[in-house]
Amino acid sequence: MGVDLNFWKVQNGTDLDSAAVYQTACCDHENVECLEALPIEEILKETAAGFQDWDAVDLWNYEKKDGQGSFQITITPQMVRFDCYSMERADMKRFSSIMSKFECPLYDPQQGVRFDKMVAFLTDEAGEYQVQVERELSRLFPRLEVTTQVLTWEEYAQRSKEKSGHIHYNAVIHRAETVTKVTSFMQFGNAFANRPCQCKTAQLADEGEARRILEELLVKSIGRVAEDFFGRTYYA
């Protein structure tokens, strides 16, 4: 079973429908307005360097030396597509690293998402930790453009229904009588991850100590959901 991974660069200030770009540029091989021209020769050289431990049949086809995996490159002036066959996830992540040098984020049609932007929704009390969340997300995902929105649960419930080709992150702090949960939820296309951390609510009686504990739990939950994200995507 094959997996295709796709890359292009959008002109500054332009917001395009990634699924439409994929169909037109990567499948139909037609030009798309507002896409940048790519340095084809440099990309081929970087790919060859990144897979020098593989056998290059030619500029466009590579096979793993042990026979366990192969890929084919398709290039137009505006896009690069890697069709991968029986490849390990770690090997497929190399494409994301290579193409990041050319400011081309990964688009994965299998999951229906482009790994260029993340919108972070901080619900109710979690909004008090906006600075900490932004810092941690930027550290873990340095190549993603991260924007945050602080809103109520009702507002988030409405916003979460809206379709988006970007990655969504949501943080929620729920205080119950005995246990308080800090949950990080991340959706990336048709896949998602959900990681709660918790403490006894009685530990939050002191306001100063409560902020320290909740911040620690929030950072821990972000780290755990990020691990799931990296383990289930071809983004590196």
Side-chain angles (χ1 to χ4, degrees):
M1 181 178 177
V3 171
D4 62 289
L5 306 177
N6 305 264
F7 301 86
W8 61 80
K9 183 178 180 180
V10 177
Q11 293 178 1
N12 289 336
T14 304
D15 189 16
L16 300 177
D17 183 304
S18 296
V21 172
Y22 167 70
Q23 181 61 50
T24 303
C26 304
C27 297
D28 299 336
H29 301 163
E30 297 178 2
N31 285 343
V32 175
E33 188 176 356
C34 297
L35 290 190
E36 296 278 10
L38 301 179
I40 304 304
E41 290 187 10
E42 292 181 33
I43 290 172
L44 290 173
K45 288 180 181 178
E46 286 289 339
T47 303
F51 285 87
Q52 57 184 329
D53 54 332
W54 287 47
D55 289 326
V57 180
D58 52 38
L59 286 175
W60 321 102
N61 295 275
Y62 288 74
E63 295 179 353
K64 200 167 187 178
K65 292 184 183 298
D66 62 6
Q68 299 300 310
S70 64
F71 67 89
Q72 180 181 41
I73 308 172
T74 302
I75 293 184
T76 73
Q78 293 185 321
M79 72 85 195
V80 180
R81 170 171 167 159
F82 298 95
D83 284 280
C84 311
Y85 304 98
S86 303
M87 290 181 64
E88 296 179 0
R89 186 178 298 273
D91 288 327
M92 286 189 278
K93 284 177 175 284
R94 298 193 207 182
F95 299 123
S96 180
S97 296
I98 291 169
M99 294 305 297
S100 69
K101 300 176 183 178
F102 303 96
E103 299 180 340
C104 293
L106 164 67
Y107 176 75
D108 181 355
Q110 288 77 211
Q111 291 183 316
V113 64
R114 189 167 189 244
F115 294 82
D116 58 344
K117 300 178 181 179
M118 177 188 294
V119 181
F121 298 107
L122 310 183
T123 308
D124 294 330
E125 187 177 358
E128 298 177 18
Y129 301 88
Q130 181 175 354
V131 173
Q132 293 88 336
V133 170
E134 290 177 344
R135 182 177 61 233
E136 193 64 12
L137 291 177
S138 296
R139 184 184 70 83
L140 292 169
F141 305 97
R143 299 205 308 271
L144 296 183
E145 178 186 328
V146 179
T147 59
T148 56
Q149 298 182 27
V150 177
L151 29 65
T152 65
W153 177 257
E154 290 75 17
E155 291 171 332
Y156 171 70
Q158 184 61 38
R159 290 297 305 277
S160 64
K161 297 176 183 178
E162 299 174 2
K163 292 184 178 180
S164 172
H166 305 306
I167 301 161
H168 279 183
Y169 168 82
N170 175 232
V172 178
I173 298 174
H174 177 68
R175 298 199 192 205
E177 184 175 350
T178 57
V179 174
T180 292
K181 287 188 177 182
V182 179
T183 304
S184 286
F185 173 82
M186 187 176 290
Q187 183 168 10
F188 33 104
N190 55 28
F192 66 90
N194 188 28
R195 283 290 188 165
C197 293
Q198 65 184 41
C199 69
K200 294 180 179 179
T201 301
Q203 295 177 261
L204 308 178
D206 178 79
E207 184 177 348
E209 184 67 3
R211 285 196 64 85
R212 184 193 66 78
I213 292 173
L214 292 176
E215 179 181 341
E216 183 178 285
L217 292 177
L218 184 53
V219 169
K220 185 181 294 185
S221 72
I222 293 173
R224 289 178 177 177
V225 83
E227 286 182 10
D228 290 343
F229 170 90
F230 285 115
R232 298 171 60 187
T233 69
Y234 303 112
Y235 173 84

